[in-house]
């Protein structure tokens, strides 16, 4: 069986690579055709376009993995079934779980590579795609989203109504110190500016209210320099910043945001859950694909490949919905992220009862 194992693994990986390359090339050609007028209008250098397409290709590889794995395994298995090879293998005394072994091994190889790409390579590619789109395709926003809340210390919380990146200036700034549920001090200003020479913040038209021994001390002034644990870079993050961080960087960012009490820490946690969940999709979908296409059918493999596309798209749709549900405040986000794998794994176990013996 070892020779057959090698042949199955070789055909599986070769077909997977071919399907991946073809789908990525098709999408890249369509994307280039759609954006070509914009490239010409904005005088985008050819070198930057090629770099963008390379990064976008890596991004597409990760996105299309469920489809490519499923289609590859169905194509290989249905071809074997059509030539009655599976019937011959099972008739020779080989069990179906033993037949599954080379498929699962190849899927584990794809899943391992996918994990490395998700954790260390894809974030760099995603960052490159984001920078290209901001630089050449989209109008850069000069202001961040309104109403920014951030924790800047163990007992200190800052608020900004709006921050403008062009001048590193924020408006309606408030810094509150709360200890054991009691407000200790509140520092407010009409404007806050970043001083690049001092690497510190300067407050304009500030007011300080302090509560000491049941007495209130109120102080005002025109200018005040202060040091905070945040810089303008913390306000200049793209909306998909969590997707541009490598796995170790993602863990560090989560700890920083948790210490600050940031509202968007859930997006970073969900991104980490997804990166550990995604590689298992290749194994689960391979398991289902072999079961679905192990029988010989009169219509050939066309119907099975079509079903493979359909189920792969259902998986992607379920993944998108479950991730959106998790990001919108699900009580158990890790369960929501893993829901597609759980549903398809249970489906595979049910289908396993129907496989030929």
């Amino acid at each position: 069986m070892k020779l057959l194992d090698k042949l199955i693994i070789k055909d599986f990986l070769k077909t997977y690579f071919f399907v991946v390359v073809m789908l990525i090339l098709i999408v890249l050609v369509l994307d280039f055709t759609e954006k070509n007028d914009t490239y010409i209008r904005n005088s985008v250098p050819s070198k930057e376009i090629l770099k963008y397409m390379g990064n976008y290709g890596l991004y597409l590889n990760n996105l299309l993995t469920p489809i490519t794995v499923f289609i590859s395994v169905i194509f290989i298995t249905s071809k074997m079934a059509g030539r009655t090879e599976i019937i011959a293998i099972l008739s020779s005394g080989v069990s179906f779980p033993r037949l599954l072994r080379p498929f699962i091994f190849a899927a584990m190889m794809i899943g391992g590579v996918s994990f490395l790409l998700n954790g260390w390579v894809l974030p760099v590619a995603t960052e490159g795609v984001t920078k290209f789109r901001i630089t050449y395709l989209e109008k850069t926003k000069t202001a961040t989203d309104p109403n920014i809340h951030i924790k800047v210390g163990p007992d200190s919380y800052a608020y900004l109504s709006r921050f403008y990146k062009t001048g590193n200036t924020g408006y309606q700034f408030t810094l509150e110190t709360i200890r054991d549920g009691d407000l200790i001090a509140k520092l407010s200003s009409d404007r806050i500016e970043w001083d690049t020479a001092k690497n510190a913040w300067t407050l304009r038209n500030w007011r300080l209210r302090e509560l000491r021994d049941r007495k209130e001390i109120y102080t005002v002034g025109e200018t005040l320099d202060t040091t905070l644990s945040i810089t303008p870079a913390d306000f200049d993050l793209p909306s998909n910043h969590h997707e541009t961080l490598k796995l170790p960087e993602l863990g560090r960012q989560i700890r920083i945001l948790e210490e600050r009490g940031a509202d968007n820490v859930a997006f970073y946690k969900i991104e980490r859950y997804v990166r550990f969940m995604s590689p298992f999709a290749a194994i689960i979908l391979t398991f289902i694909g072999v079961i679905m296409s192990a029988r010989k059918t009169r219509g050939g493999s066309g119907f099975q490949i079509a079903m493979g596309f359909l189920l792969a798209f259902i998986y992607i749709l379920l993944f998108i919905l479950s991730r959106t549900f998790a990001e919108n405040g699900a009580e158990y986000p890790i369960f929501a992220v893993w829901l597609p794998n759980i549903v398809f794994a249970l489906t595979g176990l049910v289908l396993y009862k129907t496989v030929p013996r």
Side-chain angles (χ1 to χ4, degrees):
M1 188 72 176
K2 290 183 179 180
L3 179 60
L4 183 59
D5 290 341
K6 292 179 181 179
L7 290 174
I8 291 175
I9 293 172
K10 180 182 177 181
D11 284 349
F12 187 3
L13 295 179
K14 183 171 63 176
T15 305
Y16 167 77
F17 180 77
F18 176 77
V19 174
V20 166
V21 171
M22 291 303 298
L23 287 178
I24 289 177
L25 287 177
I26 291 172
V27 176
L28 288 180
V29 169
L30 294 175
D31 182 75
F32 178 81
T33 304
E34 179 186 357
K35 294 183 172 66
N36 189 39
D37 291 339
T38 306
Y39 295 154
I40 297 173
R41 186 168 54 252
N42 295 340
S43 300
V44 183
S46 300
K47 180 180 178 181
E48 294 297 325
I49 296 176
L50 292 175
K51 185 177 179 181
Y52 159 74
M53 294 180 70
N55 289 329
Y56 191 42
L58 287 173
Y59 172 80
L60 289 173
N61 174 58
N62 178 71
L63 181 65
L64 297 174
T65 291
I67 296 178
T68 52
V69 167
F70 214 26
I71 298 307
S72 300
V73 70
I74 284 181
F75 180 80
I76 294 298
T77 311
S78 61
K79 187 170 66 173
M80 293 176 61
R83 296 188 300 223
T84 65
E85 292 176 0
I86 291 182
I87 295 177
I89 293 171
L90 296 177
S91 300
S92 67
V94 176
S95 65
F96 192 82
R98 178 64 184 86
L99 176 64
L100 272 171
R101 188 183 299 176
F103 290 98
I104 298 301
F105 180 78
M108 290 175 64
M109 292 176 62
I110 295 174
V113 173
S114 176
F115 177 74
L116 294 176
L117 289 175
N118 284 341
W120 286 269
V121 179
L122 185 62
V124 179
T126 303
E127 184 179 12
V129 170
T130 302
K131 288 182 178 179
F132 179 87
R133 289 176 174 173
I134 291 175
T135 303
Y136 298 106
L137 304 180
E138 302 172 359
K139 293 182 179 179
T140 304
K141 294 195 302 182
T142 59
T144 61
D145 295 330
N147 301 323
I148 302 168
H149 298 265
I150 189 168
K151 187 176 182 180
V152 296
D155 303 312
S156 301
Y157 303 85
Y159 164 80
L160 278 172
S161 65
R162 180 80 71 172
F163 185 82
Y164 290 86
K165 297 176 284 187
T166 51
N168 289 333
T169 303
Y171 292 89
Q172 303 302 320
F173 171 76
T174 300
L175 179 65
E176 295 181 343
T177 301
I178 300 176
R179 191 170 301 136
D180 298 328
D182 297 326
L183 180 64
I184 305 300
K186 181 176 181 179
L187 176 63
S188 306
S189 69
D190 295 338
R191 191 168 75 252
I192 182 172
E193 302 170 353
W194 176 254
D195 191 328
T196 55
K198 300 178 181 178
N199 285 333
W201 294 96
T202 299
L203 307 183
R204 306 290 184 184
N205 299 325
W206 59 273
R207 286 91 54 194
L208 176 60
R209 178 189 174 200
E210 298 177 278
L211 300 175
R212 299 178 183 173
D213 300 328
R214 297 184 181 181
K215 294 182 180 180
E216 180 178 336
I217 301 175
Y218 189 75
T219 312
V220 298
E222 294 185 359
T223 304
L224 177 66
D225 292 336
T226 184
T227 301
L228 302 174
S229 62
I230 53 176
T231 66
D234 293 311
F235 302 109
D236 193 22
L237 300 177
S239 57
N240 65 337
H241 180 243
H242 51 284
E243 298 177 3
T244 64
L245 298 177
K246 297 178 182 179
L247 202 55
E249 297 170 346
L250 188 61
R252 288 194 294 269
Q253 184 69 13
I254 290 173
R255 289 192 294 271
I256 291 173
L257 293 175
E258 286 178 335
E259 292 174 357
R260 292 178 176 176
D263 297 332
N264 62 341
V265 65
F267 291 93
Y268 292 82
K269 289 184 176 180
I270 292 169
E271 177 66 21
R272 185 169 62 179
Y273 298 152
V274 168
R275 295 192 189 182
F276 283 97
M277 178 276 293
S278 295
F280 289 93
I283 301 173
I284 295 172
L285 292 176
T286 297
F287 179 68
I288 295 177
V290 174
I291 294 173
M292 286 185 56
S293 53
R295 287 192 181 90
K296 182 178 181 179
T297 58
R298 291 185 178 181
S301 60
F303 175 75
Q304 294 169 321
I305 292 176
M307 285 297 298
F309 268 107
L310 177 62
L311 287 177
F313 277 116
I314 291 175
Y315 177 88
I316 292 176
L317 179 62
L318 183 59
F319 167 73
I320 293 173
L321 291 175
S322 63
R323 179 165 183 167
T324 302
F325 182 65
E327 291 176 345
N328 287 335
E331 187 174 358
Y332 301 102
I334 188 171
F335 174 76
V337 169
W338 275 84
L339 184 61
N341 281 0
I342 295 173
V343 170
F344 272 70
L346 293 176
T347 302
L349 292 176
V350 173
L351 292 175
Y352 181 73
K353 301 295 182 180
T354 67
V355 297
R357 306 292 178 179

